[in-house]
Amino acid sequence: MNFRRVCLGVLMAMILFACKKEKQVQAVTKLPYFNSAAFTPEWEVPKHKIPPFSFTNQNGLQVTNDTYKGKIYIADFFFTSCPGICPKLTKNMGKIQEAYKNDPDIMLLSHTVMPWRDSVPLLKAYAEKNKVLDAKWHLVTGDKDALYSIARTGYFADEDFTKTQDASNFIHTENFVLVDKAGYIRGVYNGTIEIDVLRLQRHIKILKEEI
């Protein structure tokens, strides 16, 4: 009986060791591309790029694709009066800002989904309250149709629109979207969950080594 237990223990140890080695071999070394709202990972030539945009930031300055040219950036969507998930999103974006405050290759971009209320002065006050670094993190407002269009067809950030196709619906998403230096989407994360924010930071490291 004892001999059988010893054999069983050795067998289990061998299986666990093999599984551990397999996981090590399968360690992520490259990020996929995401070309549709289905967020199906694709590994070949990317097809979808963030479309041209032009918005106004917390300092009244124009922010466009050129602002992020050659940069890795994280995009999200919020509004300054949001009592629910937005404070969590902003807090976690702040943590990312702190982690990369001395890295010029990493930037942040937060779009308001309530542009009819979130004026430049309101964005500025919100930025100051949350210790936003102007050179690192842009909070932008602008034309509602343009903001909603880029959320839905650019960043695929509105899951409700994917399901309903109702353009009149208010956008409220918890996604952080990781965009590479060429403007391609390389990851999507739940910005309210700490473990997903840590996963995003691991993926930023992979992306920096890949490019």
Side-chain angles (χ1 to χ4, degrees), residues 29-44:
T29 57
K30 181 179 179 180
L31 299 182
Y33 295 94
F34 296 95
N35 295 308
S36 74
F39 281 107
T40 302
E42 299 182 28
W43 301 92
E44 303 304 323

Side-chain angles (χ1 to χ4, degrees), residues 112-149:
T112 179
V113 295
M114 196 180 280
W116 57 90
R117 182 183 184 279
D118 283 339
S119 61
V120 169
L122 272 179
L123 290 181
K124 184 63 175 179
Y126 191 86
E128 290 175 348
K129 176 183 176 182
N130 290 283
K131 299 180 181 180
V132 169
L133 301 177
D134 290 339
K136 174 69 66 175
W137 184 1
H138 296 284
L139 314 181
V140 296
T141 188
D143 177 74
K144 177 190 172 183
D145 289 342
L147 284 163
Y148 276 45
S149 176

Side-chain angles (χ1 to χ4, degrees), residues 1-14:
M1 182 64 72
N2 289 338
F3 178 75
R4 291 179 62 186
R5 287 180 178 176
V6 170
C7 290
L8 181 60
V10 171
L11 179 60
M12 290 299 295
M14 292 176 64

Side-chain angles (χ1 to χ4, degrees), residues 7-71:
C7 290
L8 181 60
V10 171
L11 179 60
M12 290 299 295
M14 292 176 64
I15 292 172
L16 289 172
F17 178 79
C19 290
K20 184 177 180 181
K21 292 293 289 183
E22 183 178 0
K23 287 181 179 179
Q24 290 175 345
V25 171
Q26 293 177 346
V28 177
T29 57
K30 181 179 179 180
L31 299 182
Y33 295 94
F34 296 95
N35 295 308
S36 74
F39 281 107
T40 302
E42 299 182 28
W43 301 92
E44 303 304 323
V45 179
K47 305 177 185 69
H48 175 80
K49 183 178 284 192
I50 302 301
F53 61 82
S54 179
F55 300 118
T56 304
N57 76 359
Q58 66 267 28
N59 295 309
L61 302 175
Q62 185 182 45
V63 172
T64 70
N65 302 71
D66 285 341
T67 308
Y68 292 87
K69 187 175 181 179
K71 307 290 184 181

